[in-house]
Amino acid sequence: MSDTPHLQPTLIEPDWPAPASVRAFVTTRESGPSQGDFANFNPAGHVNDNPVHVALCRRLLANELGDERPLLWLNQVHGVQVQRHYSDSTPEGDAAVAFDRGHACVVLTADCLPVFFCDRAGTRVGVAHAGWRGLAEGVLEATVAALATPPEELMAWLGPAISNAQFEVGPEVYQAFVGVHAEMDEAFEPSPYRLGHYMADLYRLARLRLARAGVTQVSGGHFCTACEPRFYSHRRDDGRTGRMASVIWLC
C-alpha cells in the first residue's frame, strides 16, 4: 500500500490561543487505510487490528509532523504516570510532556478525554489521557506538575470525549470523585435509566480538576465521541473499535 492522498487522515486542530511554536491535532476515523470495525484511520496497535494497516496509519501520522521528529507512544494503563523522555521502547504512562523539539507527545482515546497543554510562552507542551479513572487518580494534576511551570502560565484544550448524555456510570465512580472533593457533585446527574446510577460529565470533571490545580484558561469540550460517527467510541461500539490519536509538539 502506498501513501496516496485518499489515505491521509482527517484532522481536528485545537481552537485555543496557543503560541505559533505549538502544533497539535486529533485524528478522526473519516479517512485512511483501516478496514472493517477499525475503519478508517486506526493507529492503535493493541486493539487486534491488522498490524499492516496500523503501521501505515502510524507512518501517515508521522508524515503530518513534517520532519523526522519521533512520536512518544505510550502503554496506557489509566494511571497517572507522565513520560518526558523519548526512547525506542513504549513506556508505561498516560501522559507525556516535551520541553524541546526532540519528540512529539501522543495519547490514544476512544471515549476517554484527551487534554492538551502548553505554556503561554510556547516553550513546553503536553497531553494527557483522562478517562474517569485517570481523572479521579489525578492524571491532569500530574501533567501540570510535570510541565514544571506556574499553572497560571498554562492553557489547556479538551479534545473529543464521550458526553454526559451518553456516559452512565455506577455509584463507585460518583464516590471516587465526590468522596474526595464534594464540589465534584456538580459534574453528575441522576441517571434516567437505572436507579443509583449517574450521568457523568468528563468535561466538567476535567475543568473542576484543572481549576483546583490552578489552570484557569481552558478551551474545548464540545464533542461527543459516542454521538458523532467521525469518532471511535468504545462504549457505542461495544469495545471493538479503533482509537483517535491526540498529538502535540513544539516546532
Side-chain angles (χ1 to χ4, degrees):
M1 303 178 75
S2 61
D3 299 359
T4 52
H6 73 280
L7 297 179
Q8 297 300 320
T10 303
L11 309 176
I12 297 172
E13 295 186 359
D15 181 14
W16 63 340
S21 57
V22 176
R23 298 291 306 278
F25 61 75
V26 182
T27 62
T28 73
R29 66 180 306 179
E30 293 177 282
S31 60
S34 306
Q35 299 176 8
D37 293 332
F38 306 103
N40 288 302
F41 193 86
N42 170 48
H46 66 289
V47 296
N48 296 319
D49 191 5
N50 184 323
V52 174
H53 296 162
V54 172
L56 178 53
C57 285
R58 291 195 173 198
R59 187 164 74 248
L60 292 167
L61 194 60
N63 290 346
E64 294 294 331
L65 275 64
D67 56 27
E68 298 302 317
R69 182 186 293 105
L71 289 96
L72 176 51
W73 297 98
L74 301 173
N75 175 25
Q76 298 172 198
V77 294
H78 296 275
V80 300
Q81 187 170 355
V82 184
Q83 293 289 343
R84 177 177 171 184
H85 299 289
Y86 174 81
S87 68
D88 290 333
S89 62
T90 304
E92 184 173 291
D94 284 271
V97 298
F99 295 174
D100 55 38
R101 301 179 67 253
H103 66 269
C105 305
V106 57
V107 297
L108 298 169
T109 62
D111 283 340
C112 292
L113 172 62
V115 181
F116 291 83
F117 294 89
C118 73
D119 67 332
R120 297 176 192 275
T123 62
R124 52 195 67 203
V125 295
V127 65
H129 159 239
W132 76 260
R133 291 179 181 85
L135 281 171
E137 292 294 325
V139 69
L140 298 187
E141 293 89 336
T143 309
V144 169
L147 286 164
T149 198
E152 60 270 19
E153 292 300 316
L154 297 174
M155 64 183 74
W157 185 77
L158 310 181
I162 193 169
S163 70
N164 61 318
Q166 301 294 321
F167 191 39
E168 185 187 54
V169 299
E172 74 284 358
V173 178
Y174 176 84
Q175 189 60 33
F177 290 95
V178 180
V180 180
H181 302 297
E183 70 271 22
M184 300 292 162
D185 176 74
E186 68 181 74
F188 296 87
E189 296 180 357
S191 171
Y193 310 111
R194 288 191 289 178
L195 185 65
H197 286 64
Y198 300 86
M199 309 307 292
D201 189 338
L202 287 178
Y203 288 124
R204 187 61 185 152
L205 287 168
R207 287 179 179 273
L208 289 167
R209 298 296 294 238
L210 288 169
R212 287 187 64 87
V215 181
T216 57
Q217 187 166 342
V218 182
S219 308
H222 308 294
F223 304 94
C224 179
T225 49
C227 301
E228 301 180 55
R230 60 179 171 160
F231 299 125
Y232 294 111
S233 171
H234 188 274
R235 180 161 293 207
R236 180 193 64 217
D237 299 330
D238 296 324
R240 184 169 175 77
T241 193
R243 299 291 187 270
M244 287 86 70
S246 294
V247 185
I248 190 167
W249 71 101
L250 291 166
C251 61

